[in-house]
Amino acid sequence: MPQQRELSRLYVDHQRVQARIGAGVSAQALAAWQRVSPTSLTASATAWLAAILTVIRRERTRSREAAASVYRLHRALETGYTLPPLAGESAGDSVTLGELREDWAQYTDAPHVELPDDGDAVQVEEIEWPEEDITGQDAAAQTSLVVTGPVRAHQGIGRVSGGDQRGRLDDAFLEELESVMGDAGTSSAGAADREALRGGRDLFRDASRADPRVIGWARVTDGDPCSWCAMLASRGAVYRSREIAGIRGRTGRGMAPVEDPEGLQKYHDQCHCQTVPVYSRTAFLPDASAQYAQDWRRVTQGLAGAEARAAWRRHIDSQRRERRRTT
């Protein structure tokens, strides 16, 4: 039970750390967008893009480092084995739980409170961390920012100033122009959030694929997920194979799903969900995941396909409205 409480807190803290990184980048992107001018869009947007890509690269590294730290602690708690530090040489063939907790605490901005098992030794398995695809990540970030920011702004400007109205400067036009630029700024800020978090998410994905102790994955949501993310979380653990899941033949009611885990790795802008590795069929998952699974069965009973998804979306949207009304 104490370990389950720690794992539950670990999931929450990891999301908060990553969400804070993403939100910080989003805020910087939106603030810098205020200097993008619709009358000199190409030049001002180019300067904006260069500045925000620099921010994303820096914060993407922070996201990756934080993910490696929590991965090491999570693996130690679940299996009794961990991995070497992300950078530098391992201090030896073992590390204590207290040292792993202390390392993770630096990312949470909360002091590590000593626990009775802090002195327990955890064997370090010499598994190499995956190399970071910096070129690919930079290209993805640039494409995402350009499409959601400058391209979106350009299209909007053409829409409100085209045809016979070109060059007009009345109040209605200026309001439309402001709305277009604001929409592009908000959209690109959401993309910047997602691209900054790519560092940690890619590390979790690539490290867990190569980790022989990982048998599957699970989606863990933030506190206010959209219907899509809540649906992914409702699936619980998605295993590498039917053999690992202990399922023979077709999947029956109540059995763990076995499918391509790539679906769990899809994230929309301003999404702060995480996909975490699973090390055993009895691995602890957050209470919210079990609740979503129960709700999915109830809400979609007798439905399938698009009808089931529509019913689920109405259910989750209703929950989100209620949360916002009471907070």
Side-chain angles (χ1 to χ4, degrees):
M1 185 64 71
Q3 188 182 83
Q4 286 191 358
R5 286 197 297 268
E6 182 172 8
L7 287 169
S8 179
R9 188 172 64 252
L10 202 60
Y11 290 133
V12 172
D13 288 347
H14 177 48
Q15 285 178 332
R16 287 176 177 170
V17 167
Q18 297 290 347
R20 188 166 63 241
I21 292 171
V25 173
S26 178
Q28 291 183 69
L30 191 58
W33 183 260
Q34 305 308 310
R35 297 191 292 274
V36 177
S37 171
T39 59
S40 58
L41 183 62
T42 299
S44 57
T46 299
W48 168 84
L49 179 63
I52 298 309
L53 282 174
T54 298
V55 173
I56 286 175
R57 290 187 190 105
R58 182 187 68 233
E59 297 305 296
R60 200 173 60 206
T61 297
R62 286 186 60 214
S63 172
R64 177 179 170 83
E65 291 172 348
S69 179
V70 78
Y71 192 106
R72 297 179 72 217
L73 177 55
H74 179 218
R75 193 179 193 270
L77 293 171
E78 288 276 23
T79 71
Y81 298 87
T82 191
L83 300 184
L86 182 61
E89 297 295 327
S90 176
D93 59 3
S94 69
V95 64
T96 67
L97 276 176
E99 289 170 330
L100 293 172
R101 288 166 176 149
E102 190 70 38
D103 183 71
W104 171 236
Q106 68 177 308
Y107 296 100
T108 66
D109 295 330
H112 165 55
V113 179
E114 292 187 10
L115 296 173
D117 61 351
D118 271 355
D120 289 359
V122 179
Q123 183 177 337
V124 176
E125 296 185 314
E126 294 298 328
I127 300 174
E128 292 187 5
W129 290 99
E131 291 188 12
E132 186 178 12
D133 181 13
I134 297 176
T135 301
Q137 290 175 337
D138 281 352
Q142 179 163 325
T143 298
S144 184
L145 290 174
V146 168
V147 170
T148 57
V151 169
R152 192 181 185 106
H154 177 74
Q155 293 172 340
I157 292 170
R159 187 172 59 251
V160 302
S161 63
D164 295 337
Q165 299 183 36
R166 183 177 300 277
R168 68 187 180 90
L169 293 174
D170 56 86
D171 289 345
F173 169 72
L174 293 176
E175 288 180 5
E176 290 174 348
L177 194 59
E178 182 179 1
S179 177
V180 163
M181 294 301 292
D183 176 64
T186 300
S187 177
S188 58
D193 178 321
R194 175 168 51 82
E195 291 303 326
L197 299 190
R198 187 184 292 273
R201 285 169 171 163
D202 281 6
L203 180 132
F204 256 57
R205 180 197 65 201
D206 296 339
S208 61
R209 282 175 176 171
D211 190 340
R213 293 190 181 274
V214 172
I215 67 170
W217 297 267
R219 179 85 160 210
V220 178
T221 69
D222 59 19
D224 188 32
C226 68
S227 60
W228 171 256
C229 293
M231 179 181 70
L232 292 178
S234 76
R235 295 175 179 175
V238 174
Y239 296 98
R240 290 187 191 270
S241 68
R242 292 183 180 276
E243 289 73 21
I244 288 176
I247 299 173
R248 298 177 183 272
R250 299 187 59 179
T251 303
R253 181 183 297 274
M255 290 185 174
V258 182
E259 55 188 69
D260 185 354
E262 286 299 318
L264 296 182
Q265 298 287 348
K266 295 178 180 177
Y267 305 100
H268 55 81
D269 290 350
Q270 296 180 322
C271 170
H272 294 141
C273 295
Q274 298 292 329
T275 299
V276 300
V278 172
Y279 296 96
S280 73
R281 285 191 292 159
T282 58
F284 170 78
L285 291 175
D287 292 341
S289 297
Q291 185 63 55
Y292 286 135
Q294 180 179 326
D295 289 351
W296 173 268
R297 289 191 293 270
R298 174 176 57 81
V299 170
T300 65
Q301 186 174 11
L303 303 175
E307 289 184 344
R309 292 191 295 272
W312 180 249
R313 183 170 57 253
R314 290 192 296 270
H315 169 69
I316 294 298
D317 288 349
S318 175
Q319 286 192 334
R320 299 181 80 184
R321 286 194 298 270
E322 181 62 22
R323 277 195 295 270
R324 290 165 185 172
R325 188 186 67 80
T326 56
T327 56

